[in-house]
Amino acid sequence: MKWTDTRDIAIGLFEKFPGQDPRAIRFTDLHKWVMELPGFDDDPNRSGEKILEAIQMAWIDEAD
């Protein structure tokens, strides 16, 4: 997975943290959790606020 795979990342986060409210996540934690997902293989410096926000929104969609 790469940073641009927002839907796949959101699904992975939803499965790994089923009780977590994605609306209450700090971007620093979100970045760390994405980096720890199995199958994630991208440069940590390629993410930014827009990408993290897109991941968070996709995770919210998965949770709802």
Side-chain angles (χ1 to χ4, degrees):
M1 272 185 290
K2 304 292 182 193
W3 286 111
T4 54
D5 300 321
T6 55
R7 178 65 55 197
D8 293 333
I9 292 170
I11 291 169
L13 292 168
F14 179 73
E15 291 173 353
K16 187 171 182 178
F17 304 102
Q20 183 67 51
D21 180 1
R23 293 169 187 88
I25 302 293
R26 293 186 318 226
F27 280 170
T28 53
D29 291 333
L30 181 59
H31 185 275
K32 178 178 176 276
W33 294 350
V34 170
M35 295 294 301
E36 294 173 351
L37 284 175
F40 185 81
D41 182 30
D42 204 351
D43 182 350
N45 298 319
R46 295 196 65 196
S47 75
E49 189 172 334
K50 282 187 159 199
I51 290 175
L52 293 172
E53 191 173 81
I55 292 168
Q56 182 185 37
M57 296 309 294
W59 188 2
I60 290 169
D61 287 345
E62 287 298 315
D64 287 345

